[in-house]
């Protein structure tokens, strides 16, 4: 089946020809039987000359589709610029919520200070007393805290 990103099959990009099903060899179809020896050789040489161009076009289509998906994701993503030294609230996980509070309980933990950037979108936090938290926290679970 042709890929949607390249409009080509993997087999045709590698071998520059369509795969022949064994049934077509036993009982040839019209397109298979019309290929004769000399014309087949000529068309095969022509196809071999064009294979690099087809591969390049498939690569360009793949890159364009990847860029389109990235633009779509970036358009929907919320950008939160947090820096070291900012104070944030951390989302309470379901296991950390007190079952006695019910649905009116708090959804955010006390303020924390960002001490370091762990990786893209992840931060190391410390409590107001200066104790470091064990795990790094994603920006998706943090909210800027205004004093």
């Amino acid at each position: 089946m042709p890929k949607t990103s390249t409009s080509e099959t993997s087999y045709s990009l590698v071998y520059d020809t369509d795969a022949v099903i064994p049934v077509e060899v036993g009982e040839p179809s019209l397109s298979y039987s019309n290929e004769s020896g000399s014309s087949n050789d000529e068309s095969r040489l022509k196809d071999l000359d064009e294979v690099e161009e087809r591969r390049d076009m498939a690569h360009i289509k793949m890159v364009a589709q990847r860029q389109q998906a990235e633009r779509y994701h970036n358009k929907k993503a919320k950008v939160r610029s947090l820096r070291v030294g900012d104070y944030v609230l951390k989302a309470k996980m379901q296991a950390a919520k007190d079952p006695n509070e019910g649905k009116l309980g708090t959804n955010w933990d006390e303020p924390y200070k960002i001490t370091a950037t762990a990786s893209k979108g992840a931060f190391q936090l410390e409590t107001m007393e200066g104790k470091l938290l064990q795990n790094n926290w994603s920006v998706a679970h943090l909210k800027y805290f205004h004093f």
Side-chain angles (χ1 to χ4, degrees), residues 3-8 13 50-69 71:
K3 285 187 171 185
T4 57
S5 59
T6 60
S7 303
E8 299 284 343
L13 287 175
E50 296 172 354
V51 70
E52 286 300 320
E53 182 179 339
R54 287 179 56 200
R55 288 179 184 156
D56 290 342
M57 290 304 295
H59 179 71
I60 289 169
K61 286 180 184 179
M62 277 183 10
V63 169
Q65 185 182 27
R66 190 177 303 133
Q67 288 173 346
Q68 182 183 9
R71 279 192 308 270

Side-chain angles (χ1 to χ4, degrees), residues 28-147:
S29 65
L30 184 61
S31 63
Y32 184 76
S33 60
N34 283 344
E35 296 293 326
S36 63
S38 62
S39 68
N40 187 26
D41 292 342
E42 291 172 11
S43 67
R44 186 79 177 122
L45 289 173
K46 180 182 169 196
D47 289 344
L48 286 174
D49 290 339
E50 296 172 354
V51 70
E52 286 300 320
E53 182 179 339
R54 287 179 56 200
R55 288 179 184 156
D56 290 342
M57 290 304 295
H59 179 71
I60 289 169
K61 286 180 184 179
M62 277 183 10
V63 169
Q65 185 182 27
R66 190 177 303 133
Q67 288 173 346
Q68 182 183 9
E70 184 178 352
R71 279 192 308 270
Y72 178 78
H73 175 268
N74 290 341
K75 183 171 62 172
K76 298 285 184 182
K78 292 181 181 178
V79 178
R80 297 184 193 164
S81 57
L82 298 175
R83 295 183 305 266
V84 175
D86 286 347
Y87 289 92
V88 293
L89 297 174
K90 180 174 65 82
K92 264 192 186 176
M93 299 297 149
Q94 189 65 32
K97 288 185 178 182
D98 185 9
N100 296 329
E101 291 180 348
K103 67 179 183 180
L104 298 177
T106 61
N107 293 328
W108 299 93
D109 277 338
E110 59 188 70
Y112 294 93
K113 183 178 181 181
I114 297 176
T115 58
T117 303
S119 65
K120 185 178 181 181
F123 299 98
Q124 187 176 22
L125 303 177
E126 73 176 17
T127 62
M128 298 298 273
E129 292 81 30
K131 181 181 175 191
L132 285 175
L133 294 183
Q134 185 176 5
N135 299 325
N136 297 327
W137 291 88
S138 171
V139 71
H141 301 281
L142 302 175
K143 179 166 70 169
Y144 188 75
F145 179 70
H146 302 280
F147 275 109

